[in-house]
Amino acid sequence: MKRVNSPMMQQEIIDQFSSLSEGKLTTQEWLSWFSDHQDDVEKICGRTAFLKIKPKESFSGVRNLYIGQLGAFDWLKSLKINVDFSDLYKKGWEREFDDFCKAEKQKEIQLQKDVEHKFGYLKDYYPKFFGQLTKSYSNSDVIEAGIQQDFIPNIEKELSIKLPDDLITWYRNVSVLKLEGLEINCNELSVETIQKKQYLVLGEFWLYGDGDQLLYSLETQNIYIFAHENAPPKVIKIASSLSDLIEKKIVFYLKEYES
């Protein structure tokens, strides 16, 4: 049977909203009542007030109490119904938020310890990159330890080139680096001719489009991106050296992604 907007139902809403405003309801009492009466609340209070009061699945119990209390109190005021406004839910939400912030801070401290333990050796070669890792590193990132010196001749023989010192230093510290939109992998190092110039393909760096290749010029030791989605595809210089790529470009990229 379809419900009608009876004076009795409106009075029940007023009573319940008054109890909520005065901080007399528990989370379960409020959520249970609202679940049973949400259609009536929307019909009697209107869509706008309903959306302000409606509990959100992503909110905690005490936050739903506080948000619902604010909306209920405003609706009662619109009817010129005077009720007391308790700060009980507000304080509960503030305590919960404070606890959340403390927990997040502890995670940051633990992350810094983990990064220091795993990658502290990078400080000597790439201090800015290491410093940014303590803020940006997550469990989805991959950083694998560098290769041994005796593997370098094998790579050079396979590619028929002489690796520059800066690349050797990098690969001896980090063999694989996988971050969001960035991958540098010594196991996938290749030589390619792009637009009549020869480059080492270090991996991918999605600065301009997904799948953009990260290029190293053996002639100048500059670093480039092959923006393949550009019309026409274009080789774009992004760093003057590998060190600049790691210490400046990637650090800036991680800072932007973090924010």
Side-chain angles (χ1 to χ4, degrees), residues 21-23 66 69 85-94:
S21 296
E22 293 166 358
Y66 180 46
Q69 180 193 34
F85 187 88
S86 169
D87 63 357
L88 180 66
Y89 304 143
K90 180 176 183 288
K91 288 181 177 179
W93 159 237
E94 288 173 344

Side-chain angles (χ1 to χ4, degrees), residues 53-100:
I53 296 165
K54 180 184 178 183
K56 312 295 190 295
E57 289 186 7
S58 60
F59 288 0
S60 65
V62 68
R63 188 177 181 188
N64 270 321
L65 278 173
Y66 180 46
I67 296 300
Q69 180 193 34
L70 292 173
F73 185 75
D74 284 345
W75 183 77
L76 291 172
K77 280 200 307 181
S78 72
L79 298 185
K80 301 191 182 330
I81 297 174
N82 296 319
V83 293
D84 292 332
F85 187 88
S86 169
D87 63 357
L88 180 66
Y89 304 143
K90 180 176 183 288
K91 288 181 177 179
W93 159 237
E94 288 173 344
R95 284 194 300 271
E96 182 178 81
F97 183 71
D98 186 54
D99 289 342
F100 169 79

Side-chain angles (χ1 to χ4, degrees), residues 81-214:
I81 297 174
N82 296 319
V83 293
D84 292 332
F85 187 88
S86 169
D87 63 357
L88 180 66
Y89 304 143
K90 180 176 183 288
K91 288 181 177 179
W93 159 237
E94 288 173 344
R95 284 194 300 271
E96 182 178 81
F97 183 71
D98 186 54
D99 289 342
F100 169 79
C101 292
K102 288 178 181 177
E104 289 298 301
K105 185 63 178 178
Q106 283 302 119
K107 287 181 183 178
E108 289 181 11
I109 293 172
Q110 186 59 49
L111 174 64
Q112 291 176 350
K113 290 180 179 178
D114 291 345
V115 170
E116 179 75 38
H117 176 70
K118 293 178 180 178
F119 314 118
Y121 64 91
L122 293 175
K123 279 191 293 187
D124 294 336
Y125 296 94
Y126 311 103
K128 293 179 181 178
F129 175 63
F130 169 78
Q132 186 58 39
L133 279 181
T134 63
K135 303 170 185 175
S136 306
Y137 182 77
S138 71
N139 292 329
S140 62
D141 298 328
V142 176
I143 302 178
E144 295 184 6
I147 59 177
Q148 298 297 317
Q149 178 68 30
D150 25 355
F151 284 104
I152 301 297
N154 295 336
I155 297 175
E156 293 177 328
K157 182 178 180 181
E158 182 180 341
L159 298 177
S160 300
I161 61 167
K162 176 69 176 175
L163 283 178
D165 290 342
D166 56 353
L167 269 180
I168 292 175
T169 298
W170 172 254
Y171 287 138
R172 292 204 61 193
N173 282 279
V174 179
S175 60
V176 178
L177 175 68
K178 291 183 182 180
L179 307 174
E180 185 69 30
L182 170 67
E183 179 173 353
I184 303 175
N185 189 335
C186 76
N187 299 313
E188 297 180 5
L189 185 65
S190 63
V191 178
E192 289 190 24
T193 300
I194 300 174
Q195 297 178 350
K196 299 181 181 181
K197 291 188 178 181
Q198 192 178 68
Y199 299 95
L200 281 177
V201 180
L202 304 182
E204 293 185 355
F205 196 4
W206 299 0
L207 280 183
Y208 304 102
D210 292 0
D212 283 348
Q213 291 177 306
L214 182 63

